Amino acid sequence: MIKVVGIGLEGEKSLTNLVLEIVNQATVLIGGERHLQYFSNHSGIKVKINNLETVIYDIKEYQKQGENIVILASGDPLFFGIGRILLNNFIPDELVFYPHSSCVQLGFNKLKIPWQDAQFISLHGRNIDSLIQPLKKGYEKIGILTDNINNPLIIWQVYQQLKTSIKYDFWLCENLGSQEEKITLIDKNEDIKLETISPLNIVILIKKSEFYRAILDLEKLPIIGLPDNLFKTFPDQPGLMTKKEVRLTILGALSLQENQVIWDIGAGTGSVSIEIARLVKNSQIYAIEKTAMGANLIKQNCHQFQVNNIEIIHDKAENMIENLPNPHRIFIGGSGSNLTFLLNIIETKIYPESKIVIALATIENLHEALQWFKDHNWTYEIIHVQISKSLAIAKNTRFYPLNPVNIITAIKA
């Protein structure tokens, strides 16, 4: 039987008498250099973990010899630890686990924050990309295991550069469970001095309890291309909005003019409507959104950017567009499953030589739209937008992608 013992930073002191006796009885003691140093006077054979494949081979050889094997691990071996690797190489009946408190468990308890609903990420020996999506999704609580490459400074830089609308308290937790334990709330880049940070650290991100936003200085805003993080978004899906780079393409495709009636169908947070409203202040925009949350967000964002030429309509588009003034321009950002039905109504309402711009994420919806335009003799153009943005990591710069989108611009003959 292979015994896997989780251990804290206090070494022998972190173990119960029962588990300490299990370690003391081992004839073969396996662990990292730090773990083995806690038991420098142990009489058994000591095997330092350098190469996991070699260690697995050694364990199997010691098994054949009938040795009493104990493996030392940090915290909980089954929480981003060696436990998973052992289970891939031995049958469960060969293993017994004696977990200690994990560093994440200790961190959340020191912060006095329940952690059963937290999102956990290990960057230990992994790509920093695994951090980007959780930050963009805006999880309430994120526990992050670091390494010497994906260190707290790198994590801070990625968090800052993504410029999401969600703001976090950034907690740096060092030497958890030891006398040198230290927990620091990070406010700026200069707070993170790598040379003074213990290599035994984790980062915990806690979403701020209230929506963080400075009062906008409207005179300093760009005429076009508003930063995404200035918009209020869906709390459970903060990334669910038309991104700035895609909005700019859409605005160009619409070929806006003065004194127009414009429909924005499936307006979401209202980001496209608000860009239009600021560009053509004497046009009338109808922002149509079927969800109550979306309609409320549009209202808040209109107030935020102080636009007053948007009429917000909380309803399904197919229920009410027949009653709206005839449009010169239409943007469809969301149609549910009723695209063909909507286009049939739109054809009876839109002025000749006016434009529809549709943003589509799936091939199936693209095919449906193109088939309709072909069947009804509309002229159209497709732009496939696939954008990557730069992300500085330490001294290097790399790119991370936005979701690709197909933009159709169609004109009624």
Side-chain angles (χ1 to χ4, degrees):
M1 190 70 67
I2 302 166
K3 305 169 185 72
V4 189
V5 172
I7 193 167
L9 293 186
E10 293 294 293
E12 291 187 32
K13 296 179 181 179
S14 66
L15 302 178
T16 64
N17 291 335
L18 173 63
V19 176
L20 183 58
E21 184 61 24
I22 289 171
V23 174
N24 289 334
Q25 290 178 359
T27 58
V28 176
L29 194 62
I30 300 171
E33 183 175 0
R34 175 171 58 85
H35 301 135
L36 293 177
Q37 285 177 352
Y38 294 138
F39 300 93
S40 56
N41 296 324
H42 196 284
S43 60
I45 301 169
K46 298 185 184 67
V47 179
K48 184 169 72 172
I49 298 176
N50 288 320
N51 182 286
L52 285 173
E53 290 185 8
T54 301
V55 168
I56 295 298
Y57 175 82
D58 289 342
I59 294 171
K60 292 180 178 181
E61 289 299 309
Y62 285 124
Q63 269 187 309
K64 294 175 184 178
Q65 299 168 22
E67 300 287 356
N68 184 357
I69 303 168
V70 171
I71 302 172
L72 302 175
S74 296
D76 185 343
L78 292 174
F79 185 79
F80 293 109
I82 196 172
R84 176 183 60 84
I85 297 167
L86 293 172
L87 287 167
N88 288 338
N89 288 276
F90 301 92
I91 62 174
D93 287 348
E94 295 179 281
L95 299 164
V96 180
F97 293 94
Y98 299 90
H100 192 268
S101 299
S102 70
C103 54
V104 170
Q105 179 183 0
L106 292 170
F108 275 98
N109 276 273
K110 289 296 180 180
L111 293 173
K112 301 176 184 177
I113 295 173
W115 60 289
Q116 70 273 3
D117 56 343
Q119 177 79 7
F120 303 109
I121 303 163
S122 175
L123 297 178
H124 191 78
R126 293 173 171 86
N127 196 301
I128 194 71
D129 284 356
S130 57
L131 176 63
I132 293 174
Q133 283 304 317
L135 286 176
K136 291 169 72 174
K137 288 182 178 179
Y139 291 107
E140 291 283 338
K141 309 162 189 175
I142 306 176
I144 306 169
L145 305 183
T146 70
D147 63 16
N148 61 337
I149 296 174
N150 296 316
N151 56 58
L153 180 58
I154 295 297
I155 295 168
W156 173 265
Q157 290 174 345
V158 171
Y159 162 60
Q160 291 294 319
Q161 289 178 75
L162 286 178
K163 297 179 181 177
T164 68
S165 58
I166 302 301
K167 300 300 176 184
Y168 286 96
D169 286 329
F170 190 106
W171 293 96
L172 172 60
C173 307
E174 305 172 66
N175 296 317
L176 291 168
S178 75
Q179 293 182 354
E180 291 76 38
E181 183 177 271
K182 182 181 178 183
I183 298 179
T184 309
L185 178 61
I186 303 299
D187 289 321
K188 53 188 181 299
N189 192 76
E190 291 74 21
D191 289 346
I192 306 176
K193 296 180 174 59
L194 289 179
E195 65 275 9
T196 65
I197 294 177
S198 167
L200 302 176
N201 70 76
I202 65 168
V203 169
I204 293 177
L205 304 181
I206 305 296
K207 187 190 290 188
K208 290 183 181 291
S209 57
E210 296 183 1
F211 198 93
Y212 177 88
R213 184 185 305 282
I215 297 174
L216 292 182
D217 185 344
L218 296 177
E219 293 183 358
K220 293 183 178 180
L221 291 179
I223 295 172
I224 186 173
L226 297 168
D228 292 338
N229 63 347
L230 298 184
F231 289 93
K232 291 194 174 183
T233 61
F234 297 94
D236 58 336
Q237 293 180 292
L240 189 62
M241 65 178 293
T242 305
K243 303 299 188 293
K244 179 182 74 173
E245 294 78 9
V246 177
R247 286 201 306 274
L248 291 173
T249 304
I250 290 166
L251 293 171
L254 284 168
S255 301
L256 300 167
Q257 295 177 342
E258 302 289 339
N259 296 303
Q260 291 183 322
V261 171
I262 302 162
W263 296 356
D264 180 0
I265 297 175
T269 62
S271 62
V272 173
S273 286
I274 287 168
E275 293 267 22
I276 295 171
R278 297 179 75 247
L279 284 172
V280 281
K281 295 181 174 60
N282 56 2
S283 288
Q284 179 61 49
I285 300 98
Y286 293 88
I288 306 158
E289 172 55 39
K290 66 180 181 180
T291 70
M293 175 67 76
N296 186 52
L297 286 171
I298 298 169
K299 181 178 180 180
Q300 292 182 58
N301 283 321
C302 285
H303 177 74
Q304 170 90 341
F305 294 98
Q306 297 182 28
V307 296
N308 53 22
N309 53 336
I310 295 176
E311 182 174 333
I312 303 166
I313 300 173
H314 173 212
D315 203 341
K316 293 181 179 179
E318 58 266 29
N319 293 341
M320 35 63 59
I321 58 175
E322 288 184 345
N323 300 320
L324 293 181
N326 290 4
H328 301 88
R329 298 289 187 270
I330 298 174
F331 171 61
I332 302 178
S335 61
S337 58
N338 297 318
L339 181 57
T340 296
F341 184 71
L342 285 176
L343 290 173
N344 287 335
I345 300 174
I346 286 169
E347 188 173 37
T348 67
K349 295 283 291 184
I350 195 168
Y351 289 111
E353 298 186 1
S354 295
K355 288 187 176 183
I356 299 178
V357 176
I358 312 177
L360 300 167
T362 69
I363 296 173
E364 289 77 12
N365 284 341
L366 176 63
H367 177 266
E368 181 183 356
L370 293 181
Q371 191 62 54
W372 191 92
F373 289 129
K374 290 175 182 177
D375 292 345
H376 292 77
N377 298 314
W378 285 49
T379 60
Y380 63 84
E381 177 184 61
I382 310 168
I383 302 174
H384 178 72
V385 180
Q386 194 159 356
I387 296 172
S388 294
K389 299 181 70 173
S390 65
L391 184 69
I393 300 176
K395 296 180 180 180
N396 299 315
T397 303
R398 53 167 299 180
F399 289 97
Y400 74 92
L402 303 181
N403 290 331
V405 62
N406 301 294
I407 298 175
I408 304 176
T409 304
I411 301 175
K412 183 178 180 180

